[in-house]
Amino acid sequence: MLLTLDIGNSNIKLALFEKEKQISFARFETKQDNYKSLIMSFIFKAGLRADDIKGVMVASVVPEVYAQIKEGLVSIIDSNKIHEIKGTNDYGITLGDENAEVVGADLIALCAYAYSKYHRDIIAISFGTCSVLCHVTKDGVFKHCIIAPGFYKLAEAIFGSAAQLEAFNLEKLDHFAGINTKEALNIGIYDGYLGMIEHLLQGMISELEGKPYVVASGGAGKLIVPYLSSIDEYEPDMITNALNHLYRRLKND
């Protein structure tokens, strides 16, 4: 059984895999009081014990949080079973010297998985805390990247806090001329974000040779992808699946 952890700025996503089959999945806020208890509870709720876990694959963009998580992990799982995505490892794509140390582990996993799946010129989009557009060439070279505000972070910038945002029902309207404050905010946030992503995506595509295959991932994508015709495929938890894929590649499974 494989345990995967995708540690982001806002959320931690845990999953359990039996080969290609995902057994369990859960999402938690990144800030927690006791990471060991969180992980143990997740494993137990799946009807498993710590010694059922034969491997752990981690993608983290928050080093200080991962340090705490790893401290808890090694107390219940052999440290030799724990593997972290790093830019210096071989995952089937080439990062180049200028990218190897700076590309986030989640993006490495996303791009490596997408490229292994399609083996063609691709743009992989992550709709997370930030919106990230990555280009991988048909030869498997991580070539270009754009980092922009995430959908929810953009909205929070207007509302001032996540709590205030939760109290407001963000929705896509079918018109642009708002007649009240609620409509004005919905149009500005929703359509403004869509316009930004479409502009950045088309701008990147215009500077490439040919039309890349565009894939997207991330929870916010479910609110965005239906309105972007340029996206060819959406897989909400692509990074979680990527971690399973890369672990199996590591183990030649």
Side-chain angles (χ1 to χ4, degrees):
M1 191 71 64
L2 172 68
L3 169 67
T4 66
L5 296 93
D6 176 16
I7 305 168
N9 290 295
S10 301
N11 296 288
I12 296 173
K13 288 178 279 188
L14 303 177
L16 290 165
F17 286 89
E18 181 64 49
K19 293 191 178 294
E20 293 187 357
K21 184 179 180 182
Q22 187 181 108
I23 304 300
S24 184
F25 175 85
R27 183 193 308 263
F28 305 94
E29 290 187 359
T30 298
K31 188 175 181 180
Q32 297 285 332
D33 294 326
N34 191 318
Y35 294 104
K36 178 180 176 180
S37 294
L38 180 76
I39 293 169
M40 290 299 295
S41 176
F42 174 70
I43 293 172
F44 289 154
K45 284 181 179 179
L48 301 170
R49 300 177 304 176
D51 56 9
D52 291 318
I53 307 302
K54 304 307 179 184
V56 180
M57 197 68 167
V58 181
S60 174
V61 296
V62 194
E64 62 274 17
V65 171
Y66 177 51
Q68 297 177 57
I69 289 176
K70 189 172 183 179
E71 184 178 341
L73 278 174
V74 296
S75 68
I76 56 175
I77 299 171
D78 185 344
S79 61
N80 292 322
K81 297 179 180 180
I82 303 171
H83 305 277
E84 181 185 1
I85 299 290
K86 295 181 179 180
T88 51
N89 293 344
D90 177 18
Y91 300 112
I93 59 173
T94 302
L95 297 178
D97 294 339
E98 70 276 13
N99 290 320
E101 298 296 334
V102 296
V103 178
D106 55 343
L107 299 181
I108 294 173
L110 174 64
C111 290
Y113 174 66
Y115 181 72
S116 73
K117 196 173 181 181
Y118 305 107
H119 285 285
R120 57 182 294 184
D121 208 36
I122 59 168
I123 291 177
I125 303 176
S126 173
F127 291 112
T129 303
C130 291
S131 302
V132 188
L133 294 75
C134 303
H135 170 231
V136 179
T137 71
K138 62 183 179 181
D139 299 318
V141 178
F142 185 105
K143 194 73 173 178
H144 306 102
C145 187
I146 297 173
I147 301 175
F151 180 65
Y152 292 116
K153 287 299 180 182
L154 195 66
E156 285 177 24
I158 293 177
F159 284 93
S161 72
Q164 287 180 308
L165 176 59
E166 288 177 3
F168 183 87
N169 183 31
L170 269 175
E171 57 183 333
K172 177 72 173 72
L173 304 182
D174 59 2
H175 58 276
F176 288 94
I179 60 172
N180 54 47
T181 301
K182 182 179 179 180
E183 286 195 357
L185 286 167
N186 267 308
I187 294 165
I189 295 171
Y190 222 124
D191 291 283
Y193 180 80
L194 288 170
M196 177 187 73
I197 295 298
E198 185 67 21
H199 178 71
L200 294 175
L201 179 56
Q202 292 305 321
M204 178 178 276
I205 290 173
S206 72
E207 296 178 8
L208 305 178
E209 294 182 5
K211 170 65 170 70
Y213 194 71
V214 182
V215 299
S217 179
K222 64 181 180 293
L223 302 175
I224 305 304
V225 173
Y227 305 104
L228 293 174
S229 60
S230 300
I231 294 178
D232 298 301
E233 188 170 333
Y234 172 57
E235 190 176 322
D237 297 310
M238 190 178 289
I239 294 176
T240 296
N241 293 329
L243 291 174
N244 180 49
H245 166 77
L246 294 178
Y247 177 80
R248 294 176 65 213
R249 173 188 169 89
L250 179 70
K251 297 298 182 179
N252 295 313
D253 185 4

